[in-house]
Amino acid sequence: MTVKWIGKRMVMGIIVLFIVSFLSFFIMHAAPGDPAAAFYGGNAQTLNAAEKERISRVFALDRPVIAQYGTWLAETVKGNLGISYKEGRPVSTILLERLPNTLLLFGTTLFFIIIGSIWLGTAAGMKAGSLWDKGLSTVSIVTSSIPAFWLGILFISFFAVKLGILPSSGTGDIGDEGGFLDKLRYLIMPATVIIFTHVGIYARFLQESIKVESQNYYVTVARANGVADQVIRKGILRNASIPYLNYIGMTIPSFFGGSIIVESLFSWAGLGQLTVKAVVTKDFPLLMGSILLTGLIVVVSLFVIDLIMYMLNPKLRKGDAR
């Protein structure tokens, strides 16, 4: 039955990617601006109508949008994402160059957000009415209300400009003389900004789930029968983790969207910064490739979270069995 469940999730993921690509393609072409003019940047004003028409014909931009999408989809299924208008290189090559940086930033921040929110949320939720409980409720509202770009500018001003201990922008390269430790110096500020602005709200959600779970009848019965607090605590945390994981799954797309702003602010050479550049230059193949790869990462992340929930929640397995 697990194989059947995985098969369903994979089909749903493919459908989601198809819808995302379809909507993105048509919205992108409906946006104002001429790709030919954007391709030439500051020299665009020197192009006459015939030259713009020739460029559009070369890139097949003079065809109906639905025909362009059909061609793009057919080539993408074959593994060909096209050639970047701006860089003149295969889109797949450019994406593979940026993917490790995005995975490093995304994986690092999500790991520390989950660890931090579980620790804070559990400590506060298990002690309802305590200073931890009231303090986390207030702190989570404050931290989640701070705009990431504003906090990033503050970090750059203090740690890079005033103290000079961290690089203000860039990604670093493991192949450089500085090695992996040098890359971590570039990672600290963007990762800290994302973690700081997200960990509070996730901890707050877990805190409330634990408080609700603690009031259930089975907890009262277990305590009345002298069950050890450690066992009760483990059961509460297990049941509270299901809505918590569900909440993480629902917010991953917006979480990923927020990281695009941080990548652009710190010039972190990931998919987010690449997407912004592709939008500015109207580099359609590169933009579609970036959107598709970002969507794939989100779908895979949701699949992993659903799989964990499936393993933890017997109700889901029973529903699958039916």
Side-chain angles (χ1 to χ4, degrees):
M1 289 301 173
T2 303
V3 175
K4 182 180 177 183
W5 182 88
I6 292 175
K8 285 182 180 177
R9 287 296 185 276
M10 291 181 67
V11 171
M12 289 172 61
I14 293 172
I15 293 174
V16 168
L17 289 177
F18 172 75
I19 295 174
V20 168
S21 68
F22 182 83
L23 293 177
S24 301
F25 198 90
F26 281 85
I27 292 173
M28 185 174 62
H29 280 76
D34 185 353
F39 180 81
Y40 277 86
N43 298 321
Q45 67 276 10
T46 63
L47 296 173
N48 55 40
E51 289 171 326
K52 289 182 179 178
E53 185 179 350
R54 181 185 59 79
I55 293 172
S56 296
R57 190 168 57 253
V58 169
F59 291 117
L61 297 172
D62 56 342
R63 300 173 60 200
V65 178
I66 186 68
Q68 293 182 45
Y69 176 74
T71 302
W72 175 85
L73 185 61
E75 292 298 321
T76 299
V77 171
K78 298 176 185 174
N80 178 19
L81 295 174
I83 303 296
S84 166
Y85 294 167
K86 196 67 178 177
E87 299 191 26
R89 296 192 295 150
V91 170
S92 56
T93 301
I94 300 172
L95 293 178
L96 288 177
E97 290 173 353
R98 298 295 189 109
L99 182 60
N101 288 329
T102 288
L103 291 180
L104 177 62
L105 180 62
F106 179 69
T108 302
T109 53
L110 192 60
F111 173 77
F112 282 105
I113 285 172
I114 291 175
I115 295 297
S117 62
I118 289 177
W119 180 66
L120 292 171
T122 304
M126 290 293 182
K127 299 176 181 176
S130 67
L131 187 61
W132 268 104
D133 182 26
K134 297 175 182 176
L136 179 59
S137 299
T138 304
V139 170
S140 65
I141 295 173
V142 173
T143 55
S144 60
S145 302
I146 297 176
F149 71 90
W150 180 84
L151 185 63
I153 293 172
L154 197 66
F155 274 28
I156 291 172
S157 301
F158 186 73
F159 293 106
V161 178
K162 187 173 182 179
L163 299 181
I165 57 176
L166 291 173
S168 62
S169 62
T171 310
D173 192 341
I174 296 177
D176 289 345
E177 293 181 358
F180 187 68
L181 290 178
D182 186 57
K183 195 175 187 68
L184 288 181
R185 293 181 65 242
Y186 286 88
L187 177 67
I188 289 175
M189 282 206 289
T192 303
V193 168
I194 296 175
I195 293 169
F196 186 84
T197 53
H198 286 80
V199 69
I201 196 68
Y202 285 95
R204 174 72 184 277
F205 190 90
L206 181 60
Q207 171 195 14
E208 292 302 320
S209 296
I210 289 176
K211 288 166 71 174
V212 170
E213 197 66 30
S214 299
Q215 296 173 356
N216 282 338
Y217 182 68
Y218 77 88
V219 176
T220 305
V221 173
R223 283 180 174 147
N225 285 281
V227 177
D229 284 344
Q230 189 176 0
V231 176
I232 297 174
R233 183 189 178 96
K234 188 177 179 180
I236 292 174
L237 187 59
R238 179 188 177 89
N239 291 335
S241 66
I242 295 172
Y244 169 74
L245 288 171
N246 191 38
Y247 179 70
I248 290 178
M250 288 191 299
T251 53
I252 274 185
S254 60
F255 172 77
F256 215 93
S259 68
I260 291 177
I261 299 174
V262 175
E263 281 193 12
S264 299
L265 178 64
F266 289 97
S267 295
W268 182 263
L271 292 175
Q273 188 199 40
L274 185 69
T275 303
V276 173
K277 286 184 177 179
V279 169
V280 173
T281 59
K282 294 189 77 69
D283 191 339
F284 288 169
L286 186 57
L287 181 57
M288 284 304 299
S290 181
I291 290 173
L292 192 65
L293 185 55
T294 302
L296 181 62
I297 294 173
V298 171
V299 167
V300 171
S301 302
L302 292 176
F303 173 77
V304 172
I305 290 175
D306 282 351
L307 185 61
I308 296 173
M309 290 175 57
Y310 182 84
M311 302 302 291
L312 289 176
N313 192 350
K315 292 181 180 178
L316 291 178
R317 296 196 293 274
K318 288 179 180 177
D320 186 53
R322 287 195 294 269

